[in-house]
Amino acid sequence: SLHVERRDGELKATLDPAEVVERLVAQQHVVSPQRLSSLKSNYYEVMNSIQYPPSALRAGVEASVAVLAEFSEDGAVHDAFPVNAAYDRWGFTVAAVDAAKKLKLQEPTGKSFIACVPLSFKFR
């Protein structure tokens, strides 16, 4: 069974990271990326300002990282952790978590929730 909890100041899940988002969204414990976009966040602004890891840029490496972001009552991200890039040698995970922590809702919901935030590092 799926269990997400806060341990040592961080969110932890008992399943393999790739399974976490699918199961949490299905159980309605996590807001899906589509639902997050309807909550009027600064997602696109943050995505346009994301820092591409220099080593990955030099090597021509692209990636997609899913991050679970814990939004607080005021609409700001309180905590975030990646769910699919545990052994990232290029720095995508750190860049994705840093970007997710900059997210903020324009109209806070007044309650905390966890949302799946997809981040793509692609050459344009």
Side-chain angles (χ1 to χ4, degrees):
S1 101
L2 176 63
H3 182 71
V4 177
E5 66 181 29
R6 183 174 294 282
R7 270 187 271 143
D8 300 322
E10 296 182 5
L11 292 175
K12 302 287 183 181
T14 57
L15 293 177
D16 289 333
E19 297 177 46
V20 172
V21 173
E22 182 179 328
R23 290 197 184 191
L24 284 175
V25 168
Q27 294 177 13
Q28 299 181 345
H29 293 293
V30 168
V31 171
S32 70
Q34 295 79 14
R35 173 81 175 105
L36 178 62
S37 67
S38 73
L39 291 174
K40 299 181 182 172
S41 73
N42 61 342
Y43 178 81
Y44 293 109
E45 178 184 320
V46 169
M47 294 306 100
N48 288 331
S49 67
I50 198 166
Q51 295 295 312
Y52 209 102
S55 61
L57 189 60
R58 285 190 300 275
V61 177
E62 296 182 338
S64 294
V65 179
V67 175
L68 290 182
E70 183 180 27
F71 285 82
S72 62
E73 294 84 6
D74 68 356
V77 172
H78 172 72
D79 198 4
F81 73 99
V83 294
N84 71 332
Y87 303 106
D88 172 23
R89 68 181 253 197
W90 302 105
F92 292 115
T93 304
V94 171
V97 169
D98 288 348
K101 288 181 178 180
K102 295 176 184 173
L103 291 172
K104 184 155 177 79
L105 301 181
Q106 293 172 4
E107 299 172 12
T109 61
K111 61 181 182 174
S112 62
F113 65 93
I114 297 174
C116 175
V117 181
L119 297 110
S120 292
F121 296 85
K122 305 281 183 203
F123 296 113
R124 298 175 194 196

